[in-house]
Each structure stands twice: as structure tokens, then as C-alpha cells.
């Protein structure tokens, strides 16, 4: 067999292992889906009326705000699901299984690839659930078929970037507890962008950070695709950020995996 064939078969085996772990511990998936759903309900039903009235001179209230905040919640779902990746990787690194894998005739990168593909499937399921809940509480996207395909393609690209970054977080962590905390910054970043309020309502320093951090162009692109708003150069910036994060995170994770001793 060729090296590529062996790598494919090893990655497929590790993917099955990852899926079995997800099915064996459904509470993790419930927790990862539950966080964005709770935030969605909180911001729509508790804060949505007031925040929605501030979005436009006429004051659209809760109905307008749910359309504004839903893309940010959808993106938060990706970041929340990636947290599970860091926990799974850190668990493997501290439980001794990786030490055994390194003694076996398998492709080393297949271990990480299995985590990434398994987490990607988990993320897709989480996105479907959260989008369904958003529609149930009043989210009314105007996107056609092409726009939905483009939006899901962007979400997959973002998911891959966040998952590889979380893999690196899991590898660099010395314990599972640390791994569960590091990805929290990914969940908080939409709050410091255009996800929940327009950036022009923020103080100058915070507005500058909000406008130039990676999640803002991603949110604006997603909002433009789903709601028919102007996208401008946000799509180029969003794709550029995702590609850069994926590439750098992959190199970082691969280096950490090859160098880090396991117990």
C-alpha cells in the first residue's frame, strides 16, 4: 500500500474512534449545543426588546434584534463545539493512549485528523440544531439556495480553523481542566465584535479592536449572506483569516504532537 492509502485508512479508523466517543458521551454534545441556545434565548427574550430598539431610529424591538444576533450565535456554536475538541485531545494526551499509538505502525497525523473530522461532524450537528432553534424563536433569513450553500461553506471553513486551533490548545495544555478553559476566548470574541451590538456604539479603543478582530468580518459575511445585507470586503477578510488560522494552527499542532512527551 502507498503512504497516502495507509494515511487514509488510519485516519478513517481514528474517525470511527472519535465518533464512538461522541456517541458514548452525549452529554458533551448537549453541553456544547446548550451554551449557544441559552445565550440565544437570553439575548432575544430578556435583552432583545431594548437592544432591538437601539438598532434603528424606528426601533424594531425583539423581532429586529433576533435577526441581528442570530449570525453571532451561530458562529458562537462553532467556537463552543471546538471546546470539546481541546478536551478530547487533552484527555488522550494525559490518559496514556497516545503513548500506545506511538508504538503502533500508524500514521501519526491520523490521530489528530480523527479528532478534527469527528469534531467537524459534531459541529455540523450542533449548527443544525442551533439554526433550527433560532428560526423557532423568530430568526427570518432571506437567503436563497446559493446564499445558504455559501453560508454553510463559510461555517465549515471557520469550523476547520477553530477545530485545528483547539487541537493545538489541547496539546499545549498540561491537564484537561486547562484545555477546557483555553478555548473560552473563542466563545467570548463575538461579544467583542459586531455580533451583539454595532461596533460604532462602542468606545474608541474597543471599537478599533472590534472592527479588526477576526470574528467581525466572519459575522458580517454570514449576516450578509443570510439576511441579504452588504458584505463588501468582509468575505475576503473572513476567508483570509480562516485560511491563516487553519494553516498556522495545523503547523503548531503537528509540532506539539511530535515533540510533546506523553504519560
Amino acid at each position: 500500500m502507498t503512504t497516502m492509502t495507509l494515511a487514509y485508512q488510519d485516519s478513517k479508523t481514528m474517525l470511527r474512534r472519535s465518533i464512538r466517543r461522541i456517541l458514548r458521551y452525549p452529554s458533551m454534545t448537549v453541553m456544547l449545543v446548550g451554551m449557544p441556545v441559552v445565550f440565544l434565548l437570553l439575548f432575544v427574550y430578556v435583552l432583545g426588546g431594548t437592544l432591538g430598539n437601539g438598532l434603528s431610529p424606528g426601533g424594531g424591538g425583539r423581532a429586529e434584534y433576533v435577526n441581528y444576533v442570530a449570525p453571532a450565535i451561530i458562529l458562537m456554536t462553532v467556537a463552543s463545539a471546538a471546546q470539546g475538541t481541546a478536551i478530547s485531545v487533552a484527555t488522550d494526551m494525559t490518559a496514556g493512549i497516545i503513548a500506545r499509538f506511538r508504538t503502533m505502525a500508524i500514521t501519526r497525523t491520523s490521530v489528530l485528523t480523527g479528532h478534527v473530522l469527528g469534531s467537524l461532524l459534531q459541529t455540523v450537528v450542533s449548527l443544525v440544531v442551533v439554526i433550527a432553534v433560532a428560526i423557532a424563536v423568530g430568526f427570518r433569513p432571506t437567503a436563497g439556495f446559493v446564499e445558504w450553500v455559501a453560508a454553510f461553506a463559510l461555517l465549515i471553513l471557520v469550523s476547520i480553523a477553530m477545530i485545528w486551533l483547539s487541537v493545538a490548545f489541547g496539546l499545549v495544555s498540561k491537564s484537561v481542566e486547562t484545555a477546557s478553559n483555553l478555548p473560552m476566548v473563542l466563545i467570548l470574541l463575538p461579544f467583542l465584535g459586531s455580533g451583539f451590538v454595532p461596533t460604532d456604539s462602542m468606545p474608541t479603543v474597543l471599537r478599533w479592536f472590534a472592527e479588526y478582530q477576526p470574528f467581525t468580518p466572519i459575522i458580517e459575511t454570514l449576516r450578509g449572506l443570510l439576511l441579504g445585507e452588504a458584505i463588501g470586503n468582509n468575505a475576503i477578510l473572513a476567508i483570509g483569516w480562516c485560511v491563516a488560522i487553519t494553516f498556522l494552527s495545523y503547523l503548531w499542532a503537528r509540532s506539539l504532537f511530535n515533540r510533546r512527551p506523553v504519560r
Side-chain angles (χ1 to χ4, degrees):
M1 293 186 181
T2 64
T3 302
M4 290 297 295
T5 302
L6 289 173
Y8 170 75
Q9 291 183 343
D10 292 341
S11 297
K12 188 166 63 172
T13 300
M14 291 301 168
L15 172 59
R16 286 200 301 268
R17 173 178 177 266
S18 180
I19 292 174
R20 286 178 179 175
R21 171 183 284 176
I22 292 171
L23 295 177
R24 189 174 298 170
Y25 302 105
S27 58
M28 176 64 73
T29 302
V30 172
M31 182 190 73
L32 299 178
V33 174
M35 182 181 297
V37 168
V38 169
F39 275 116
L40 175 64
L41 298 178
L42 171 65
F43 277 90
V44 170
Y45 288 113
V46 178
L47 305 174
T50 301
L51 293 175
N53 288 333
L55 289 177
S56 60
R62 185 176 291 109
E64 182 176 356
Y65 188 68
V66 66
N67 284 333
Y68 184 86
V69 78
I73 296 295
I74 292 171
L75 185 59
M76 182 182 289
T77 305
V78 175
S80 176
Q83 185 180 23
T85 310
I87 295 173
S88 297
V89 172
T91 300
D92 278 355
M93 295 301 294
T94 57
I97 187 65
I98 299 298
R100 183 167 184 178
F101 285 154
R102 287 180 174 176
T103 66
M104 299 169 65
I106 61 173
T107 308
R108 281 195 171 191
T109 55
S110 66
V111 179
L112 301 183
T113 303
H115 279 292
V116 170
L117 295 178
S119 296
L120 184 59
L121 291 176
Q122 187 179 41
T123 302
V124 170
V125 172
S126 301
L127 285 171
V128 171
V129 172
V130 172
I131 291 173
V133 173
I135 292 174
V137 301
F139 179 45
R140 295 296 178 264
T142 60
F145 177 77
V146 175
E147 288 78 11
W148 271 110
V149 171
F152 269 103
L154 176 62
L155 288 171
I156 293 298
L157 189 61
V158 176
S159 298
I160 293 172
M162 295 299 102
I163 290 170
W164 271 113
L165 182 57
S166 292
V167 167
F169 284 161
L171 290 170
V172 79
S173 301
K174 302 302 182 183
S175 66
V176 176
E177 291 75 16
T178 303
S180 67
N181 293 328
L182 284 179
M184 287 299 295
V185 65
L186 302 178
I187 300 174
L188 296 176
L189 276 177
F191 289 96
L192 302 177
S194 63
F196 293 86
V197 295
T199 57
D200 56 14
S201 66
M202 301 177 181
T204 303
V205 175
L206 183 57
R207 182 173 68 246
W208 181 89
F209 175 82
E211 290 176 349
Y212 291 99
Q213 60 119 322
F215 277 17
T216 292
I218 296 173
I219 293 171
E220 292 301 321
T221 302
L222 192 60
R223 187 175 284 142
L225 290 171
L226 295 180
L227 299 172
E229 299 180 359
I231 297 177
N233 65 346
N234 286 309
I236 297 175
L237 293 173
I239 294 173
W241 273 114
C242 290
V243 172
I245 292 172
T246 301
F247 178 70
L248 294 175
S249 298
Y250 170 76
L251 293 180
W252 186 24
R254 186 171 179 177
S255 174
L256 287 169
F257 186 72
N258 289 332
R259 290 188 294 106
R260 177 176 166 177
V262 294
R263 291 177 287 179

